[in-house]
Amino acid sequence: AQSVTQLDSQVPVFEEAPVELRCNYSSSVSVYLFWYVQYPNQGLQLLLKYLSGSTLVKGINGFEAEFNKSQTSFHLRKPSVHISDTAEYFCAVSERGSQGNLIFGKGTKLSVKP
Amino acid sequence: GAGVSQSPSNKVTEKGKDVELRCDPISGHTALYWYRQSLGQGLEFLIYFQGNSAPDKSGLPSDRFSAERTGGSVSTLTIQRTQQEDSAVYLCASSPRLIYGYTFGSGTRLTVV
């Protein structure tokens, strides 16, 4: 069975600083990986996804993530955050080729301070 | 429609009452998913539809929970004899294929008092 671990429940950071949100997954088969963002009182929005090919994936709002198969990780990064990036971020995994559901981590709350 | 629509956006109900939550997916999206989001618990998978059939009901927490989808479109999640632990935000998502990711609705916040 697949699982996702987001190692940090909360990450405080100052505006314009870099940030990394960590995600590790467990799966016995090849996977698809996703990051979603949830702004306060809103639904979840897809940030980026890894399906195959290049291990560095670029998404919306300047975010990127790197798939590391040996480390079973898919960490999310941004070189310089803005106040507007304050939100909760969810990592998710699915079995490659599956048409079934995504398994989500418990989320990381990013708080950007001026 | 342009996005995934869920109704109602908020629902307060008394313990023991039945509730129905509705999801209207994006037109043409064959896959529809229900999740429950509780404080600090992330997203808990409930059920998945492909067309009108539900290949995976494994996440439904008890037999008080049921869901159906008609015409390959609208889905209804029904919770019978609600309990306080059912209080959560219920999220619906749809997708044409999993590799495209999901499009989520804004959710229904259910409060059982």
Side-chain angles (χ1 to χ4, degrees):
Chain A
Q2 295 139 10
S3 65
V4 177
T5 302
Q6 292 184 244
L7 297 163
D8 305 297
S9 59
Q10 298 189 50
V11 173
V13 64
F14 287 107
E15 193 174 19
E16 297 183 8
V19 71
E20 178 179 82
L21 306 184
R22 296 180 292 170
C23 172
N24 287 87
Y25 69 92
S26 173
S27 177
S28 59
V29 299
S30 296
V31 296
Y32 298 142
L33 292 156
F34 301 79
W35 275 99
Y36 282 82
V37 59
Q38 186 176 34
Y39 297 104
N41 300 312
Q42 295 186 27
L44 280 78
Q45 178 183 0
L46 180 64
L47 262 183
L48 49 78
K49 60 187 177 186
Y50 171 78
L51 304 180
S52 65
S54 173
T55 57
L56 183 63
V57 179
K58 293 188 184 297
I60 61 172
N61 300 340
F63 283 93
E64 63 182 31
E66 186 156 19
F67 170 58
N68 187 319
K69 187 175 181 180
S70 63
Q71 303 277 342
T72 61
S73 67
F74 191 54
H75 301 333
L76 181 71
R77 303 186 182 100
K78 186 169 183 179
S80 176
V81 294
H82 303 289
I83 299 286
S84 59
D85 293 322
T86 295
E88 190 158 18
Y89 293 79
F90 293 91
C91 181
V93 65
S94 178
E95 179 180 316
R96 181 183 292 277
S98 167
Q99 289 304 306
N101 58 292
L102 294 178
I103 305 297
F104 285 83
K106 291 187 184 296
T108 297
K109 289 185 179 176
L110 175 64
S111 176
V112 182
K113 303 179 187 302
Chain B
V4 178
S5 178
Q6 290 189 247
S7 61
S9 55
N10 279 284
K11 176 73 176 179
V12 180
T13 190
E14 293 181 351
K15 179 181 173 182
K17 300 282 190 184
D18 298 352
V19 294
E20 285 189 353
L21 312 180
R22 175 188 168 106
C23 174
D24 199 345
I26 292 173
S27 178
H29 281 196
T30 55
L32 186 149
Y33 307 83
W34 283 98
Y35 284 80
R36 179 166 71 175
Q37 185 176 23
S38 305
L39 194 63
Q41 295 301 311
L43 277 76
E44 176 189 8
F45 169 72
L46 297 178
I47 189 169
Y48 149 60
F49 288 93
Q50 182 64 40
N52 289 335
S53 64
D56 190 352
K57 303 180 182 180
S58 63
L60 294 177
S62 76
D63 59 8
R64 297 186 295 105
F65 287 72
S66 62
E68 64 175 10
R69 188 180 185 193
T70 55
S73 181
V74 173
S75 177
T76 302
L77 177 68
T78 301
I79 309 173
Q80 295 178 310
R81 305 180 303 282
T82 52
Q83 304 295 312
Q84 287 186 329
E85 61 262 29
D86 300 333
S87 296
V89 176
Y90 289 81
L91 291 167
C92 176
S94 70
S95 177
R97 284 186 64 191
L98 185 59
I99 60 171
Y100 295 109
Y102 297 168
T103 300
F104 279 89
S106 296
T108 294
R109 182 176 298 276
L110 176 66
T111 304
V112 182
V113 297

